[in-house]
Amino acid sequence: MITMTDPAWRPSPRARQLWAINASLMWVPLFIAQLVWAVIDGKWTTWPHVAVFAASVVFAAVHIVVVPVWRYRVHRWEISDTAVYTLTGWFDQERRIAPISRVQTVDTERGPIDRMLGLSTVTVTTASSAGAVKITALDKDVADRTVAQLTEIAGRTWGDAT
């Protein structure tokens, strides 16, 4: 019987900041819309405005403060000579295992917030209908070493990546 263990490595500790900033940016339009609604309505303190604002603050606080910490505790990744392993999801968890023989491309992506925090995402594209395996929020140097390692391992693995 084979026992599956969780992948060994976590994303960068700065992943929590990245996820918190991204969550904050998602809430900005909602708070702007509430402000516009209150100005147009002219009644800032009526129960609908207060109730919607209070609920928004609670949900935003959970999304910005709690979720990044929870995601960080769950997200894992690992690379071996035979496969790329990821474990993601803070509520609905997904475990992905991509055999090295199926790797077609290895890419690095850095958005503006990633660059600001010195982070990168490594995307391993495979011959799978499930899509690419993403290792998110890695320190830039870790991502660069990971890409080099995957490229080297895939280069010495015989197979047609299909």
Side-chain angles (χ1 to χ4, degrees), residues 17-156:
Q17 289 174 281
L18 174 68
W19 295 328
I21 291 168
N22 287 338
S24 298
L25 292 174
M26 289 175 52
W27 285 95
V28 168
L30 179 69
F31 283 110
I32 290 172
Q34 288 179 18
L35 180 63
V36 169
W37 175 40
V39 168
I40 289 172
D41 193 27
K43 300 173 186 169
W44 296 73
T45 58
T46 59
W47 74 267
H49 291 288
V50 172
V52 169
F53 181 73
S56 298
V57 167
V58 169
F59 286 120
V62 169
H63 193 200
I64 295 166
V65 176
V66 176
V67 171
V69 173
W70 191 353
R71 283 181 70 182
Y72 183 75
R73 294 181 78 161
V74 173
H75 278 59
R76 298 280 188 277
W77 67 279
E78 187 172 349
I79 296 169
S80 72
D81 285 341
T82 58
V84 177
Y85 304 87
T86 61
L87 176 62
T88 60
W90 58 275
F91 185 72
D92 183 24
Q93 292 186 348
E94 178 184 53
R95 180 187 302 264
R96 300 281 308 271
I97 302 168
I100 294 291
S101 63
R102 308 275 291 180
V103 170
Q104 293 179 328
T105 62
V106 181
D107 303 303
T108 305
E109 178 184 353
R110 301 182 75 217
I113 299 168
D114 296 299
R115 287 192 307 270
M116 180 179 74
L117 296 172
L119 300 174
S120 296
T121 295
V122 173
T123 303
V124 181
T125 306
T126 64
S128 168
S129 61
V133 175
K134 289 191 176 229
I135 307 170
T136 59
L138 298 179
D139 289 320
K140 184 184 179 308
D141 60 326
V142 172
D144 292 343
R145 285 194 310 269
T146 301
V147 168
Q149 179 185 5
L150 277 169
T151 303
E152 192 269 323
I153 293 169
R156 60 180 149 93

